Amino acid sequence: MASHQNFVDYVAEQLREAGTIRSRKMFGEYGLYCDGVFFAVICGDQFFVKVTPAGEAAFPNLPKAPPYEGARDYIWVEDVDDRDTMTALTRLTCLALQEQPKKRRK
């Protein structure tokens, strides 16, 4: 099931304190960027954040699930009304992703 633009807009609004949030349509779903860092996807009107050690340590009770068949597990944020958790997880995740060495495209 493809995600709806109004859900994507709502999630982006919830994350406004984390940084500049941009969404990009990808294969009927959406990728999310915070200050230029790809950190999450929205699939089937559900919000999934990339797994990092910092994110897992700070939010051990958030479930992990693949956002689509064949994908790696992401942290699944079921309660998109919880702005504080979403913002904190986004900040931690993006900081961790910025510190990782850049992958070279082949």
Side-chain angles (χ1 to χ4, degrees):
M1 174 179 114
S3 295
H4 297 91
Q5 185 65 52
N6 60 344
F7 181 81
V8 176
D9 294 343
Y10 180 73
V11 170
E13 173 64 21
Q14 289 291 85
L15 294 171
R16 72 178 180 269
E17 294 176 14
T20 302
I21 304 298
R22 183 175 61 87
S23 64
R24 181 174 177 194
K25 194 161 186 153
M26 300 176 168
F27 309 107
E29 300 297 350
Y30 293 84
L32 292 182
Y33 296 79
C34 181
D35 297 329
V37 176
F38 178 72
F39 76 99
V41 294
I42 293 178
C43 295
D45 286 337
Q46 296 178 73
F47 178 53
F48 297 90
V49 177
K50 284 187 170 189
V51 175
T52 63
E56 285 183 301
F59 299 97
N61 295 327
L62 290 179
K64 289 187 215 64
Y68 53 89
E69 190 174 325
R72 293 180 181 176
D73 279 351
Y74 277 56
I75 296 173
W76 178 25
V77 181
E78 296 177 87
D79 184 4
V80 294
D81 295 324
D82 184 351
R83 180 179 294 187
D84 293 337
T85 296
M86 292 172 62
T87 298
L89 177 59
T90 297
R91 286 180 177 157
L92 283 171
T93 300
C94 290
L95 184 62
L97 292 172
Q98 287 174 333
E99 292 174 353
Q100 290 180 348
K102 301 282 185 219
K103 293 181 181 177
R104 300 183 110 197
R105 290 188 174 187
K106 295 181 182 183

